[in-house]
Amino acid sequence: MEEIASSVKDLELEKGDEYRSFLHGDTEKDTVWRLGEAPEYDLVNRTFRSGRTKDWKPGSLEETVQHLVKTWEMELTHKTRIKDFKSIDAENFSFSVNGGKAMTGEELLRTGSYNALLASLEHGGANNPPLYKSSQETFESSHEIFRGVFPNGFAWEVLEVFSGPPTVAFKWRHWGKMEGSFKEHNLNGKTAEMFGIAIAEVNDELKIGRLEVFYDPSQLLTQLTCPYNPKR
């Protein structure tokens, strides 16, 4: 725990916001941002604070894991070069969903988080077309779709941590209010949420070398297209 506390203290020295690091400061002076500048997280932070079910003690294992994953998600969404990522061990990093083929950091950066997480929903049929086709979406288009669905942010929290470093297993929750539209479906402002498990392998600097996510990808899209969100 002393090593964790020391690593947390180091992360706190890297300028970010309350819930993620490496947004500002000297470490980011050469970072290439997707939109030309560091993002603002005011909206999603408000969604997080108002909707979270856990309020972890600063410096605890749970808060540390939550902070690390939020930082990684920020970097994946807003930084365009793997060499600018500070949350991962770039040379060894891999990402997989439900035991599928592992992706490198570069592959994931090209694909985007939404497309990687929803790729298994590609297969449908004549009478059961897929709700979302990752192969037909780019990094940019996928984020545009879900920013439209969740304009006030799609918040994320750690619910429970089962084991500490170097192999960190934890349960998580994602949620946000469904607003706007998804494809041809009108949305009604209700809260959508999904749950899953993840396993992260981290090094001595608490950088992620391997991240495996396990969850039911239909959780989200079923809520986006359920009967109380009628078609136009």
Side-chain angles (χ1 to χ4, degrees):
M1 290 302 293
E2 288 182 358
E3 291 180 356
I4 294 173
S6 177
S7 295
V8 170
K9 187 176 181 180
D10 289 342
L11 282 175
E12 290 173 346
L13 294 175
E14 306 300 342
K15 293 183 179 181
D17 67 9
E18 185 177 354
Y19 305 114
R20 49 191 68 76
S21 299
F22 306 117
L23 278 162
H24 309 287
D26 290 343
T27 63
E28 306 311 308
K29 63 183 180 180
D30 296 321
T31 293
V32 178
W33 297 100
R34 191 169 297 275
L35 299 179
E37 61 183 358
E40 295 291 339
Y41 274 87
D42 292 345
L43 286 176
V44 72
N45 285 349
R46 283 200 292 270
T47 297
F48 171 72
R49 284 190 288 268
S50 65
R52 63 186 172 184
T53 62
K54 304 290 184 180
D55 189 4
W56 300 114
K57 180 181 178 181
S60 65
L61 177 59
E62 293 84 359
E63 192 272 339
T64 301
V65 173
Q66 184 170 268
H67 190 102
L68 175 61
V69 176
K70 283 177 177 288
T71 298
W72 168 76
E73 184 278 334
M74 175 277 294
E75 294 190 308
L76 178 60
T77 302
H78 293 285
K79 295 181 179 181
T80 63
R81 305 183 303 186
I82 285 294
K83 71 177 186 178
D84 293 331
F85 284 41
K86 315 298 190 310
S87 62
I88 66 171
D89 175 1
E91 290 186 3
N92 299 304
F93 180 80
S94 67
F95 177 83
S96 64
V97 179
N98 294 334
K101 181 182 178 181
M103 306 175 72
T104 66
E106 292 286 359
E107 289 172 331
L108 181 59
L109 186 58
R110 288 194 299 270
T111 302
S113 55
Y114 287 115
N115 286 334
L117 288 166
L118 298 173
S120 65
L121 298 179
E122 283 277 334
H123 306 292
N127 298 319
N128 184 32
L131 298 174
Y132 182 89
K133 297 192 73 172
S134 294
S135 63
Q136 294 183 0
E137 304 294 345
T138 64
F139 182 111
E140 290 77 15
S141 68
S142 65
H143 280 264
E144 182 178 354
I145 288 170
F146 288 101
R147 275 195 295 267
V149 171
F150 302 110
N152 288 307
F154 195 30
W156 185 91
E157 69 175 337
V158 164
L159 296 177
E160 186 175 1
V161 177
F162 304 112
S163 61
T167 303
V168 185
F170 56 95
K171 184 177 181 180
W172 54 265
R173 170 180 173 250
H174 232 323
W175 78 97
K177 287 188 176 182
M178 299 181 287
E179 299 172 332
S181 65
F182 174 73
K183 303 295 185 177
E184 72 272 25
H185 296 269
N186 296 323
L187 302 176
N188 59 11
K190 290 189 176 183
T191 297
E193 61 182 353
M194 60 184 187
F195 300 86
I197 299 289
I199 300 173
E201 195 78 29
V202 299
N203 63 18
D204 292 341
E205 298 178 307
L206 289 187
K207 292 187 176 185
I208 304 170
R210 174 174 58 89
L211 182 59
E212 299 177 85
V213 175
F214 300 90
Y215 84 120
D216 177 1
S218 69
Q219 290 178 82
L220 175 60
L221 295 186
T222 298
Q223 293 173 82
L224 289 175
T225 57
C226 68
Y228 57 73
N229 285 328
K231 289 185 178 181
R232 290 175 179 171

